[in-house]
Amino acid sequence: MDQFDRAFAEGFDDLPGSVDEAAIERMRAVAYLLDESVRIPGTDLRVGLDPLVSAVPVVGDVVSGGIGLYVVLEAAYLGVPFGTVVRMLANVAIDTAGGAIPYAGVLVDAFFKSNKRNLELALGELGYDPEHVGGTSDGSDGDRGSEDPDDEAVTIEVEAPAR
């Protein structure tokens, strides 16, 4: 499991304080539901509801594309640059159009994972650094165990207000 996949499953703790964490969690939940919510038995592959919903010709693809637009709209609301929003829209368009192809569309929906891609794009623009979340791809903590003086705990004493 790579670093982004681990953070995708566990949450995002490395975002700047100015980012609306509730919006990020909503985006993560939608992306997970559509792209990663079901593990294929006997494999490490995960798919979401997107290929299942898309099994209904045309209507399923339109519905999953519409739900996928939520991630794009939320990213735009959070201030993701226009160019990135356009890339995100292109991802949704590719997923929707590719999913509409008879028979092969289910495979496109299962493996393209536009919502996960869009979440990754948005988080990258919002200052999320996947190198600092969930350790490294080999399972170690990477630099987190270093003795950097900036990593020390800070104690702030607070006195009760005088009455």
Side-chain angles (χ1 to χ4, degrees), residues 44-98:
D44 288 333
L45 296 174
R46 298 185 72 81
V47 297
L49 296 180
D50 191 9
L52 301 175
V53 171
S54 296
V56 178
V58 183
V59 174
D61 294 304
V62 171
V63 168
S64 65
I67 295 170
L69 285 176
Y70 172 78
V71 175
V72 179
L73 291 172
E74 197 72 80
Y77 168 75
L78 290 172
V80 169
F82 179 75
T84 303
V85 171
V86 170
R87 285 183 61 194
M88 294 171 76
L89 288 170
N91 285 338
V92 172
I94 290 168
D95 190 27
T96 302

